[in-house]
Amino acid sequence: MIKIFKQLGRHWAACLAVVALLVVQAYCDLSLPDYTSKIVDVGIQQGGIESPVPGTVRDTTLQALKLLMSEEDAALAEQWYSAPDADGLRTLSSDADTAMTELESAFTTPDIVLYMAAAENASEQAGTTDTVTPTTYDLDAVATQFSAMAQAPGAREMLQTQLASAISSLDESVADSLSSQAMLLVALEYDAQGIAHDVQMRYLLHTGGEMLALTLLMVAVAIAVGFIASRVSASIGRDLRREVFSTVVGYSNAEIEKFSTASLITRTTNDIQQVQFVCVILLRMVAYAPILGIGGILHVASGNTGLEWIIFVAVAALLVLIIFLMNVALPKFKQMQTLVDRLNLVSREILTGIMPIRAFSRERFEEERFDKANTDLMKTQLFTNRTMVAMMPFMTLIMNGTSLLIVWFGGKAMDLGTMQVGEMIAFITYTMQIVMSFLMLSMVAVMLPRAGVAADRIDEVIKTPATIHDPAAPKALPQNGTKGVVAFNDVSFRYPGSDEDALEHISFTAKPGETTAIIGSTGCGKSTLLNLIPRFYDVSEGSVTIDGVDVRDLPQAQLHDQLGYVPQKGVLFSGTIASNLKFGGDHITDADAREAAEIAQATEFITAKPEGYESTIAQGGSNVSGGQKQRLSIARAIAKHPQIYLFDDSFSALDYKTDVALRRALKEKTDNATVIIVAQRISTVLHANQILVLDEGRIIGKGTHAQLMESCPEYQEIARSQLSQKELNLQKEGE
């Protein structure tokens, strides 16, 4: 996990921008339930009235309210309301916001008393003891009665004493339920003025507009977060692929064999995709979940609903569920990437070896082998997927159970008058946001182990040093003197992890203008010897030099510039014939490519193609024959004009006629170059200036063909196995 956060740390500025945007998004998200509560409680239930202080009031109503106030409160009310207009309306001053707290305290109790008096008057008019909703007629009647009472001496003091006594006898819950009736008096007053509908619609439109603006802002922020997170994750994927690929390109054969090609492909593709996907999730969900959850808890804790304990029960249940499922699923996630490697390995082997499989009728066996690898991966994926699927029903149960508890206890609170419908809706919404934040974290917690394993596998590749690298103090090849002299000085080599040497005490010199051939039985170390020159492996003992300079002291680029290497198995790259022939560098011209193709005896089949040198080469050269592939590989090396040619059994796929013609043309081209040929056929090395006979990693014969036919029994055995007696006699006569 630390490695994933380390990758995110490289893009710290973008991550900080994402966190800042997520704070804005969370603010919007957490504000919406409050707006919903306001629309329900204030906009619908209270008719859009937010304060017990009316914005406009008839003078008769205000006088009745002032009678129910103390002298200080009455003076305050008189101060902030204008004089009556022609219709008897008085308007609250626009500057009254500064004194709104004092005004609300002054108006709340008189509003309640006046509304209750109007309701009592309505009940008397209806001839019932039940509570009846008062009308504007009842309000006017009560206001008139209060105006008449105001004329009596001591009426204000008597009313104040009775109000204080009545309010002190009420418990807190009843007082809270009565406070909402202050808004009912304002609504009744607005109804009497004929503006109640306008006030409600104005409030709904204003609040709804703010809610819509917050929603649009939240959408814009979410889009911005998604855009930045996607760019960051894509950049991380790009950088990791670049880093892994540049590391792997610098690997020697030892590191390639250590990881295996299939595993390196999986790490470069599947593993990096896992890390890239989790980085998006981390930025969009993991960073957002705690902000949303903590904000939701703070909103719930700041309320007075008394239902906060439900949140803690739900969170505790979620944590227990997550911890249990993680302990079950984590070990399986660590196995999954290894099984993906295994499946890729089997698939690669089957697809690349489809011809031998068919030839040996092993389709059924390979199908079973693939099916086993596929089934093992499927079982692990099924287990982890079932774990994730099992999480959802339990999460849903916890969420629905939490909602049920809130509705049950919230309903009781509403019955007591301590909670309104909008408050309960907001509380449920906040609770769901908190639960959803934990749900997001739990879903990410399921994905993180696999991504953590993938990050470890990627880091293993990046941190594995190449055993072959450029020297700290490189040397340069001498500019004067003979160029292209390759010398093996008592060279021994052992493969990593092996107990025995593959080559022992090899010493010889290959000179420019001469051909050095290496021949021997299969597995005797011929290709291994050749691979020491371009440093595909480094010698274990001794040294390999070019013009007197140890190849380990040369920069690899300079070393490889001197070499024209043709591997045992011809390798072509997707593109065209021309692009493959010019693979050795930008300095190769069309003329060089055509000349090289002519020397390699490839011109005939190239010109036979409709597009000639621009003919397409499929991946791996699958659309050309083995002999054509080998000739193009030879031409690619010739076009480079190297100082040293290395042919690793590169003529084996050629017929004898083409082989002879190619070697004759090559001899003319390489008069001043050093040529080292690994061969199986005697006919290929007959005219070499120096032939090395290898057996079990040791040189057991060195000389020309004629010399070896006299002095080396092993060479004689190879010659007799490949040449007829007539050919041997002709060679003796030619000598």
Side-chain angles (χ1 to χ4, degrees), residues 122-139:
S123 299
E124 291 177 358
Q125 295 294 326
T128 178
T129 58
D130 297 332
T131 302
V132 178
T133 302
T135 64
T136 56
Y137 171 80
D138 299 308
L139 177 61

Side-chain angles (χ1 to χ4, degrees), residues 477-485 512 547-548 643 672:
L477 291 170
Q479 297 299 315
N480 301 321
T482 306
K483 295 183 179 181
V485 179
D547 297 336
Q643 195 65 44
N672 298 320

Side-chain angles (χ1 to χ4, degrees), residues 266-267 269-276 337 454 457-458:
T266 304
R267 295 172 196 236
T269 54
N270 183 272
D271 288 355
I272 292 179
Q273 285 176 353
Q274 290 290 330
V275 172
Q276 186 174 333
Q337 294 305 105
R457 284 158 51 88
I458 295 166

Side-chain angles (χ1 to χ4, degrees), residues 195-469:
I195 61 170
H197 181 266
D198 295 336
V199 170
Q200 183 178 34
M201 291 306 299
R202 184 165 55 249
Y203 179 84
L204 290 174
L205 290 174
H206 180 265
T207 307
E210 290 182 353
M211 195 174 182
L212 179 60
L214 281 174
T215 303
L216 293 176
L217 176 60
M218 185 171 65
V219 170
V221 169
I223 292 173
V225 168
F227 178 78
I228 297 174
S230 298
R231 283 190 64 87
V232 168
S233 65
S235 299
I236 288 173
R238 177 201 61 199
D239 294 342
L240 284 176
R241 281 189 291 270
R242 181 185 295 158
E243 197 170 354
V244 169
F245 188 76
S246 62
T247 302
V248 171
V249 167
Y251 276 170
S252 68
N253 289 4
E255 286 80 47
I256 297 292
E257 291 167 2
K258 171 188 174 182
F259 287 107
S260 84
T261 304
S263 179
L264 287 172
I265 291 173
T266 304
R267 295 172 196 236
T268 310
T269 54
N270 183 272
D271 288 355
I272 292 179
Q273 285 176 353
Q274 290 290 330
V275 172
Q276 186 174 333
F277 176 70
V278 166
C279 285
V280 174
I281 299 300
L282 285 173
L283 290 175
R284 298 190 66 178
M285 293 177 63
V286 175
Y288 186 58
I291 297 173
L292 185 65
I294 294 171
I297 291 173
L298 292 176
H299 271 270
V300 169
S302 63
N304 297 316
T305 59
L307 304 180
E308 293 81 7
W309 62 271
I310 298 177
I311 301 293
F312 296 108
V313 171
V315 170
L318 287 170
L319 289 176
V320 170
L321 175 64
I322 292 170
I323 292 171
F324 174 76
L325 291 177
M326 288 303 97
N327 287 332
V328 172
L330 274 177
K332 293 296 182 180
F333 276 109
K334 294 179 179 179
Q335 297 176 12
M336 192 176 297
Q337 294 305 105
T338 304
L339 294 174
V340 171
D341 270 355
R342 176 63 184 166
L343 183 64
N344 284 343
L345 175 64
V346 172
S347 301
R348 183 182 175 86
E349 286 182 346
I350 293 173
L351 293 175
T352 54
I354 192 68
M355 301 300 284
I357 290 171
R358 290 176 180 171
F360 286 90
S361 299
R362 297 289 285 176
E363 291 93 341
R364 175 60 62 184
F365 174 80
E366 295 298 336
E367 285 176 8
E368 291 174 355
R369 193 160 72 101
F370 177 83
D371 187 60
K372 183 179 184 305
N374 192 26
T375 302
D376 290 342
L377 178 60
M378 178 201 70
K379 289 179 179 178
T380 305
Q381 288 178 332
L382 274 178
F383 183 88
T384 54
N385 289 340
R386 284 168 179 165
T387 303
M388 293 174 65
V389 169
M391 183 182 294
M392 293 308 298
F394 287 109
M395 288 285 184
T396 305
L397 179 64
I398 292 172
M399 291 171 65
N400 292 338
T402 304
S403 299
L404 183 62
L405 288 174
I406 293 171
V407 172
W408 177 266
F409 290 98
K412 290 186 175 182
M414 284 192 292
D415 186 51
L416 295 174
T418 58
M419 178 183 280
Q420 298 187 60
V421 175
E423 286 181 309
M424 189 177 75
I425 293 174
F427 191 86
I428 292 175
T429 305
Y430 284 128
T431 304
M432 291 303 102
Q433 287 176 332
I434 295 168
V435 173
M436 285 301 297
S437 65
F438 277 89
L439 177 60
M440 285 190 285
L441 289 176
S442 65
M443 295 299 293
V444 173
V446 172
M447 301 174 190
L448 284 180
R450 185 176 180 185
V453 173
D456 290 338
R457 284 158 51 88
I458 295 166
D459 194 62
E460 183 184 7
V461 174
I462 294 172
K463 289 188 175 179
T464 298
T467 54
I468 295 176
H469 47 78

